[in-house]
Amino acid sequence: MTLRTATVRTPRLDLVPLAVAHADEMAGVLADPALHAFIGGAPLTAPELRARYERLVAGPPDPAVVWCNWVVRLRAEDRLAGTVQATVTDGGRTAEVAWVTGTEWQGRGIAREAAGALVGLLADRGVRTVVAHVHPGHAASAAVARAAGLAPTGEERDGEVRWELRP
């Protein structure tokens, strides 16, 4: 699926396909332990993130699944500010999406702009159902999901609410 290699431009951002070379800068972007308050875990070191990115870039073991991962570059600062991702299944008809913005860049609409661009790209490429899972206490992430056109379904899985968009 060419979706994996598409660079996406928004008014302020470039969504650049993930590369292993992004690990060092992204380790700094994602270094705040507060980013893990709702998702668990802890920040990864640059070598740990490099190993993770190597796995992501290699792709999933299941050929019916496509992993699409981008770093979010804020053009005005020429710095990475976060990531967006989509796991595409069901013959390209369904995608589960996620986003994260580094603490330093939060509150500036970056996640909203990036997630909106991602959902638009998925719809343009024929994805019919977009899903995100948001912790019920994470108001900022719920606002991003809503701005991207998703709505809560009332379903919960692993303590998170399923949000969905059917373009």
Side-chain angles (χ1 to χ4, degrees):
M1 173 177 265
T2 58
L3 185 62
R4 285 178 56 152
T5 59
T7 296
V8 180
R9 287 181 63 91
T10 72
R12 298 181 300 157
L13 309 172
D14 291 324
L15 279 55
V16 179
L18 180 73
V20 175
H22 294 128
D24 288 340
E25 186 174 355
M26 285 305 301
V29 171
L30 303 174
D32 186 353
L35 289 174
H36 298 268
F38 293 105
I39 60 173
L44 298 177
T45 64
E48 291 168 332
L49 202 54
R50 200 169 12 267
R52 176 175 169 73
Y53 286 1
E54 286 171 358
R55 290 189 303 276
L56 291 173
V57 169
D62 183 345
V65 175
V66 178
W67 289 342
C68 305
N69 297 276
W70 294 266
V71 291
V72 176
R73 179 174 297 283
L74 184 58
R75 276 195 304 279
E77 297 179 16
D78 193 27
R79 293 180 61 196
L80 299 181
T83 63
V84 292
Q85 63 188 51
T87 300
V88 182
T89 58
D90 192 28
R93 292 182 299 274
T94 302
E96 185 161 337
V97 298
W99 49 83
V100 64
T101 301
T103 304
E104 181 179 340
W105 296 273
Q106 290 178 2
R108 295 167 56 180
I110 292 170
R112 182 177 303 208
E113 188 173 329
L118 173 59
V119 169
L121 175 66
L122 292 167
D124 289 348
R125 299 295 171 90
V127 171
R128 303 308 315 147
T129 303
V130 179
V131 175
H133 290 90
V134 177
H135 189 282
H138 199 320
S141 196
V144 169
R146 189 170 284 108
L150 284 75
T153 64
E155 294 177 44
E156 284 194 30
R157 185 178 75 188
D158 298 327
E160 294 183 320
V161 176
R162 178 184 172 100
W163 288 64
E164 194 170 291
L165 168 70
R166 293 179 185 265

